Amino acid sequence: MEQLPQYRKLYEQLRKHITNGVYRKGDILPSENELCNVNGVTRPTVRKALDLLANEGFITKHQGLGSVVNKIPKGIGILSIKGTTSAVGSENLSTKVIVKPKVMQWPENFPFPLTETELESGCIYFERLRLVDGEPFFYDITYIPNINLPRFTSYKLDNVSLFDTLREHFKLEIKGGKQHFKAVMPSKNIQDQLAIKDNQPIIQLQRKLSTNRLNFNFYSELFCNTEVYALSGGF
Amino acid sequence: MEQLPQYRKLYEQLRKHITNGVYRKGDILPSENELCNVNGVTRPTVRKALDLLANEGFITKHQGLGSVVNKIPKGIGILSIKGTTSAVGSENLSTKVIVKPKVMQWPENFPFPLTETELESGCIYFERLRLVDGEPFFYDITYIPNINLPRFTSYKLDNVSLFDTLREHFKLEIKGGKQHFKAVMPSKNIQDQLAIKDNQPIIQLQRKLSTNRLNFNFYSELFCNTEVYALSGGF
DNA sequence: AAAATCAACTTGTATATACAAGTAGAATGT
DNA sequence: ACATTCTACTTGTATATACAAGTTGATTTT
């Protein structure tokens, strides 16, 4: 894999330390100066890594005191820029591909406007069931424009981070996106897949993710059963 | 009001330009170098302002091209660090205080853990109905620890940004927070307040917001009718 | 013993500079 | 007319430096 920028390497290291329990809620991270010395980088680089952690809710910075580790949310931290696999420890979350990736036309009445290029190229479509502690938690339908992604349909996606796959094989990085939340009653199919009891509402989350490739976005639609676990995130 | 840092002034100016339509979706903002020259600041300062805009979904930065303005979501951008009043134009959103601020004990089974200091001091509690284009959209119940907020209960909160009030009168800035989303069926009271038809689920959003004051967080619980407008945000 | 002050840390804000990597349009070559 | 190359922009990454503002604990003063 290609070289990551130093601020990102530090960010991932600290993030892993937090999710692995090296630092726990209430702990104070090493100071910015200490992180400089230990990692051989300068303060703006350290601060950029810490800013990412703060943006995602892992830490809270306090002027004069330090960077305090927050409690990692028990729910699925789905609002961060990272995908779900890295938001919780991968031992809690597993993925089952229900509909394998296939190339098809975009569905009618797609919730996001599509460019002409996207429309013409069709999309790679697949459905995944995500389980937390073995229980179905959300159902994820993904649409990726079928543009310059050779042999994507042959990649295995069970228990694999889609974002990692996109990064490693296609040099695609998620840069941001937007998302819409709605509370809905589930369709029969979703009710079956998520094992939802009658009259239990679910959250429908529609996301458009932008990437480092210009004019290349992809889309996902998730249905989440929030009866046991809330959807959560920091900001 | 006290002096804002330069990066924040630029951020608010650009944000206002975007929400006011000076820049529209698809437009490219002036380059970083141009913003430096025009505003008499340096590139890291400009980049910090642009980073905030990018984090909140207002723009997408593209290396080599520029900063492209995104469409402002039609829904209520409630996931950003700013309060709801500044997420949409204030002409679309109005606020009606249903239960005026009063000091009381924390409710039982509060969804976030509370410190001993918070428990002892009680909380300032109030309820507001938020309307978009005159239609009830969400119901906001707020709990603020009753610590060092003299005469808070005398402040008017109708059609006023709570965050602005906290900033101007008490020097409290929102630094971040966490939030949990659930899909629920509304209680009778919420159904009445939000004019929700039968069997229509809603989103329950519980938020804990951290501030610049150490160990001072406040909390809100929102119920949103997402039938017409989705809850949306950028990231 | 309590209050005030001080020192040494912390993060926050900002400037200055340099080079890498990506994009678009102009210029040149075939 | 089309392809290739070049130029001049853009944002991305990173170092270096300085001072402001906040926090904590030690020290000094009362």
Side-chain angles (χ1 to χ4, degrees):
Chain A
M1 179 161 47
E2 78 180 23
Q3 185 82 306
L4 284 176
Q6 296 199 88
Y7 80 86
R8 236 194 140 82
K9 284 196 264 185
L10 180 58
Y11 154 78
E12 307 249 10
Q13 177 199 32
L14 291 171
R15 188 173 189 280
K16 184 185 295 181
H17 283 353
I18 293 169
T19 53
N20 285 353
V22 172
Y23 302 115
R24 302 194 205 141
K25 172 181 153 68
D27 284 357
I28 298 183
L29 291 184
S31 69
E32 292 176 6
N33 282 340
E34 188 170 340
L35 290 170
C36 291
N37 294 336
V38 168
N39 295 278
V41 295
T42 58
R43 238 188 111 211
T45 302
V46 167
R47 285 180 62 76
K48 193 166 170 74
L50 294 176
D51 280 346
L52 292 183
L53 290 168
N55 283 347
E56 290 182 21
F58 285 100
I59 62 171
T60 304
K61 294 206 245 160
H62 293 281
Q63 180 175 3
L65 177 72
S67 302
V68 182
V69 176
N70 293 328
K71 184 177 180 182
I72 300 163
K74 184 169 183 168
I76 308 301
I78 205 163
L79 305 175
S80 73
I81 197 169
K82 286 291 188 178
T84 50
T85 307
S86 38
V88 297
S90 54
E91 71 277 9
N92 299 62
L93 185 71
S94 57
T95 303
K96 188 192 286 181
V97 174
I98 302 301
V99 174
K100 286 181 178 178
K102 61 185 180 183
V103 177
M104 55 178 261
Q105 293 297 313
W106 296 91
E108 306 264 342
N109 301 322
F110 197 69
F112 291 98
L114 296 167
T115 67
E116 202 150 330
T117 309
E118 286 172 322
L119 278 168
E120 281 165 9
S121 62
C123 66
I124 297 165
Y125 170 99
F126 51 96
E127 302 180 8
R128 292 176 294 166
L129 181 64
R130 316 303 293 271
L131 303 94
V132 175
D133 295 329
E135 296 294 322
F137 177 65
F138 61 86
Y139 201 75
D140 189 341
I141 303 174
T142 304
Y143 307 82
I144 308 181
N146 184 32
I147 305 175
N148 203 12
L149 296 175
R151 287 183 298 284
F152 182 94
T153 51
S154 65
Y155 285 97
K156 300 281 190 184
L157 296 175
D158 291 87
N159 292 317
V160 159
S161 165
L162 170 65
F163 289 10
D164 286 349
T165 299
L166 290 171
R167 188 199 297 123
E168 285 168 26
H169 299 284
F170 303 100
K171 295 190 190 304
L172 281 168
E173 299 263 354
I174 310 308
K175 305 299 269 182
K178 61 194 70 169
Q179 49 200 352
H180 305 299
F181 298 82
K182 291 195 168 195
V184 298
M185 301 307 296
S187 67
K188 187 68 171 77
N189 178 45
I190 297 296
Q191 186 174 3
D192 289 344
Q193 294 285 1
L194 290 174
I196 298 165
K197 61 194 180 195
D198 286 345
N199 295 323
Q200 173 65 39
I202 60 172
I203 283 183
Q204 178 190 33
L205 174 58
Q206 291 164 331
R207 296 203 287 173
K208 172 178 181 176
L209 299 108
S210 56
T211 68
N212 54 334
R213 202 190 281 178
L214 187 62
N215 286 334
F216 189 90
N217 313 283
F218 63 99
Y219 309 85
S220 78
E221 184 168 46
L222 297 107
F223 299 91
C224 316
N225 182 9
T226 52
E227 191 186 8
V228 176
Y229 297 102
L231 271 182
S232 60
F235 58 90
Chain B
M1 181 162 48
E2 76 180 26
Q3 184 83 307
L4 284 176
Q6 296 198 88
Y7 79 86
R8 236 194 140 82
K9 283 195 265 186
L10 179 58
Y11 155 79
E12 307 251 7
Q13 178 200 29
L14 291 172
R15 188 175 189 279
K16 185 185 297 180
H17 283 353
I18 292 170
T19 54
N20 285 353
V22 172
Y23 301 114
R24 297 185 210 150
K25 172 182 153 66
D27 284 355
I28 298 182
L29 291 183
S31 69
E32 292 176 5
N33 283 341
E34 189 171 339
L35 290 170
C36 289
N37 294 336
V38 166
N39 294 279
V41 293
T42 57
R43 238 188 110 213
T45 303
V46 167
R47 285 179 63 76
K48 193 168 170 71
L50 294 176
D51 280 347
L52 292 184
L53 289 169
N55 284 346
E56 291 182 20
F58 284 99
I59 63 170
T60 304
K61 295 206 241 161
H62 293 281
Q63 181 176 1
L65 176 73
S67 302
V68 182
V69 176
N70 292 329
K71 183 177 182 183
I72 302 164
K74 184 169 185 167
I76 309 302
I78 206 162
L79 305 176
S80 73
I81 198 170
K82 285 292 188 183
T84 51
T85 306
S86 38
V88 298
S90 55
E91 72 277 10
N92 298 62
L93 186 71
S94 56
T95 303
K96 188 191 287 181
V97 174
I98 302 299
V99 174
K100 286 181 178 178
K102 61 185 180 184
V103 177
M104 55 177 261
Q105 292 299 312
W106 296 92
E108 306 265 342
N109 300 321
F110 196 70
F112 291 98
L114 296 167
T115 67
E116 202 152 331
T117 308
E118 287 172 321
L119 278 169
E120 283 166 4
S121 64
C123 66
I124 297 166
Y125 170 100
F126 51 96
E127 300 180 7
R128 293 176 295 168
L129 180 65
R130 315 303 292 271
L131 303 94
V132 176
D133 297 327
E135 295 294 324
F137 177 65
F138 62 86
Y139 200 77
D140 190 340
I141 303 173
T142 304
Y143 308 82
I144 308 182
N146 184 30
I147 304 174
N148 203 14
L149 296 174
R151 288 182 298 283
F152 182 93
T153 51
S154 66
Y155 285 96
K156 300 281 190 185
L157 296 176
D158 291 87
N159 292 317
V160 159
S161 164
L162 171 64
F163 289 9
D164 285 348
T165 300
L166 290 171
R167 187 198 299 122
E168 283 168 27
H169 299 284
F170 303 100
K171 294 186 192 305
L172 279 169
E173 298 264 354
I174 310 307
K175 305 300 268 183
K178 60 196 69 170
Q179 50 201 354
H180 306 300
F181 296 83
K182 290 195 169 195
V184 297
M185 301 306 297
S187 67
K188 187 69 172 78
N189 177 46
I190 298 296
Q191 186 174 0
D192 290 343
Q193 293 286 359
L194 290 175
I196 298 165
K197 63 194 180 195
D198 285 346
N199 295 322
Q200 173 66 37
I202 60 174
I203 284 183
Q204 177 190 35
L205 175 58
Q206 291 164 333
R207 295 203 287 172
K208 173 177 180 176
L209 300 108
S210 57
T211 68
N212 54 336
R213 201 190 284 180
L214 187 60
N215 286 334
F216 189 90
N217 314 283
F218 64 99
Y219 309 86
S220 76
E221 185 169 44
L222 298 106
F223 299 91
C224 315
N225 180 9
T226 53
E227 191 186 9
V228 176
Y229 297 101
L231 272 182
S232 60
F235 54 92

